[in-house]
Amino acid sequence: MSRIKTFNLPDLGEGLTEGEILAWLVKVGDDIELNQPIVEVETAKAAVEIPAKWAGRVQAIYHPEGATVEVGSPIIAIDTDPNAGPIEQSTTGAPAADLPTPSAASLAAVEVAPEEGMVEPGLIGGVAPGGRTAVLVGYGPRNAPAKRRPRKGGVPAQAATAPAAPVQPAPAPAPVVPVPALNGNGRPAGGPVLAKPPVRKLAKDLGVDLATLTGSGPLGSITREDVQQAAAAPAAAEPLTVAATATAAASFGADREQRIPVKGVRKLTAENMSRSAFTAPHVTEFLTVDMTRAMKALDRLRERREWRDVRVSPLLLVAKAVLLAVKRHPMVNSTWAGDEIVVKDYVNLGIAAATERGLIVPNIKDAGRLSLRGLADAMTDLVQTAKAGKTSPADMSGGTLTITNVGVFGVDTGTPILPPGESAILAFGAVRELPWVHKGKVKPRLVTTLGLSFDHRIIDGELGSKFLRDIGDFLADPEAALLAWT
């Protein structure tokens, strides 16, 4: 049995096919223990630490940090018996165990210094960028030395080894051909202007002199855009103004752009949102609510001795309102399954969280069975874990209904997009002090706006409106709602 064990990137669940290596927690030569974290990998859903399957010594690492690796590909080799002496070598010098070949990405990351006599990269028979051998189209690489075709009328290559011939007198220098002077536009003075007939007609219609323009097309030809820019630009006193404008326009290039690879959480979010937006027919309704009584109830709750160390926020009451409203309208907590609608008797309540890695939506499993204190503790743990980047894929799977708290960014509300497989999502806006009619008088009150998006295949306007109204009724007077509904 081989001492060398290769560890493959495991399937972290939910059908993930690849992961990005964020950081190696060990290096070649390190002694590791069973279940010791060896690498941090970012999947499309979370950043997770993967433990070692064997104890031993790190023999090889096959992918550098930042590489994207497919599930099932080898990432590390471990010597499970490092004290047994040197590793047996095969006739080729490799360990007796069949170690996997490093990936193309890892090989590409290795820089090899050119040896003396190597062909310059990019030339025929040499190494082209990316490690390929530069060859002519239709031919494979040749190892034979490159030969030059003898010039017409020249001396054959074999003559280089013959005795030196008598020195012939140098030929007379060729007459110097005068170079025509160039005008300010890079063309010979008095030379023809390169422009297609439609462009010439456009210039005539717009009153633009083609001779004063600098062409941006092939071989310096003038294009329609050149003519249109010249017509739109104010008349210049000096020709240098046109050149200055062209120089300024040319400064908007790749050196002032940033290209961010789409991967990990961002890639998954883009795929999910696109699929949901163009699959489920979305409807969004809005409701403005006076939350003054709810905010006072939160203040009283914070003053209670058993709640002094608990994080209490308006989002807690919103979550409780959603869970109670689901009990009154179970169809909202369902999934469209093609030929049937799956109504779920449990609520895995998703809470959208903005992290450094992007937007993630972990969920509280079976949140409807929790007390208000249990719900508060679960929400606190969920947010802290998400911000630390330690949310597991399991915590982001199986959600049935979601709340997104856009109010923390000072936004009044929004039109959220449904997470795939869910039929409703609630946007909770900022709580602001606004003038409000209360008991027949205009008074400053604490007001928020709710936005509910739902799948119109499952939830019609009446059901969606009643569900949103119940959430608003709870937030307007939570104590009365609890007495009436429980």
Side-chain angles (χ1 to χ4, degrees), residues 404-417:
T404 175
N405 184 12
V406 297
V408 296
F409 305 110
V411 176
D412 290 330
T413 191
T415 57
I417 297 177

Side-chain angles (χ1 to χ4, degrees), residues 196-214:
K196 296 181 179 180
V199 177
R200 294 180 181 274
K201 183 178 183 304
L202 177 63
K204 183 178 180 181
D205 295 340
L206 298 178
V208 175
D209 185 3
L210 294 178
T212 63
L213 303 184
T214 300

